[in-house]
Amino acid sequence: GPKVLQIPSHQIIDMGQMVTLNCDPVSNHLYFYWYKQILGQQMEFLVNFYNGKVMEKSKLFKDQFSVERPDGSYFTLKIQPTALEDSAVYFCASSLWGQDTQYFGPGTRLLVL
Amino acid sequence: QQKVQQSPESLSVPEGGMASLNCTSSDRNFQYFWWYRQHSGEGPKALMSIFSDGDKKEGRFTAHLNKASLHVSLHIRDSQPSDSALYFCAASGASSSFSKLVFGQGTSLSVVP
């Protein structure tokens, strides 16, 4: 099936530093998403992105978070500065159109110390 | 209050048996439902979607949707050890073109050889 790639798979970072999570979505998909999953808890929506713009974001998408997809390359989630509560697995997803099935990557496990 | 509730929390079935998973929504705006499966250390993979009342069958998997009661179920016949995973129900609303999925807390399925 369609593959979404995420880089890196794991990241350990000191609190207050900046981190960028990278996502390579399915090639012809137009909609991109980030979700956050804390160990043992359910997946929660952070943000979706279409046509170069954030369309919708949740309360979890703090001011320290930003997303972009410069020139059709990686879809990135940047956190600056990081906080302890940002430790989680972050999943990227993409879909062809807004209500289509979302395909998820394997996740980036972020640990903030 | 969780908008998407799954039951049971965990389930164990013998190999070859039938597994039945349930999902109930508390939000009548939800119109589209998906079942995702997540193996340990991986991202969630879409199993099937269901948007209309009634049954939808794909191979060994059958989903059932009752919009009046906001109830969705997934039945796995002839369960295999490889079906052992975390299963998530996810829902989205029709009000927005830019789908954000709301996930349940998951059902952990164990298929015992």
Side-chain angles (χ1 to χ4, degrees), chain B residues 7-14 18-22 74-76 79 83-85 87 106-112:
Chain B
S7 64
E9 196 173 296
S10 63
L11 179 63
S12 181
V13 298
M18 171 79 84
S20 294
L21 291 70
N22 297 293
L74 178 69
H75 306 277
I76 308 172
S79 296
D83 294 327
S84 297
Y87 288 76
T107 291
S108 178
L109 173 65
S110 176
V111 180
V112 183

Side-chain angles (χ1 to χ4, degrees), chain A residues 4-34:
Chain A
V4 175
L5 303 176
Q6 289 188 245
I7 301 166
S9 59
H10 294 78
Q11 180 85 54
I12 299 175
I13 198 164
D14 289 326
M15 183 177 65
Q17 287 193 306
M18 181 193 77
V19 68
T20 300
L21 310 183
N22 299 290
C23 172
D24 188 9
V26 179
S27 60
N28 62 334
H29 283 185
L30 301 175
Y31 295 82
F32 313 111
Y33 313 82
W34 285 102

Side-chain angles (χ1 to χ4, degrees), chain B residues 68-111:
Chain B
S69 61
L70 298 176
H71 182 255
V72 188
S73 59
L74 178 69
H75 306 277
I76 308 172
R77 67 170 175 82
D78 189 25
S79 296
Q80 302 298 309
S82 56
D83 294 327
S84 297
L86 197 53
Y87 288 76
F88 289 104
C89 170
S92 71
S95 58
S96 169
S97 298
F98 305 100
S99 175
K100 72 175 185 186
L101 291 176
V102 177
F103 283 82
Q105 76 277 30
T107 291
S108 178
L109 173 65
S110 176
V111 180

Side-chain angles (χ1 to χ4, degrees), chain B residues 21-79:
Chain B
L21 291 70
N22 297 293
C23 173
T24 303
S25 165
S26 61
D27 189 338
R28 291 211 166 268
N29 288 318
F30 289 146
Q31 296 289 313
Y32 306 109
F33 296 87
W34 285 263
W35 283 100
Y36 280 84
R37 177 163 77 181
Q38 185 178 26
H39 285 106
S40 181
E42 298 178 6
K45 288 188 180 153
L47 281 176
M48 56 196 303
S49 60
I50 185 163
F51 302 159
S52 303
D53 278 332
D55 291 338
K56 182 178 180 181
K57 186 177 176 185
E58 290 185 6
R60 296 184 294 112
F61 299 89
T62 300
H64 176 82
L65 172 60
N66 182 328
K67 283 193 178 180
S69 61
L70 298 176
H71 182 255
V72 188
S73 59
L74 178 69
H75 306 277
I76 308 172
R77 67 170 175 82
D78 189 25
S79 296

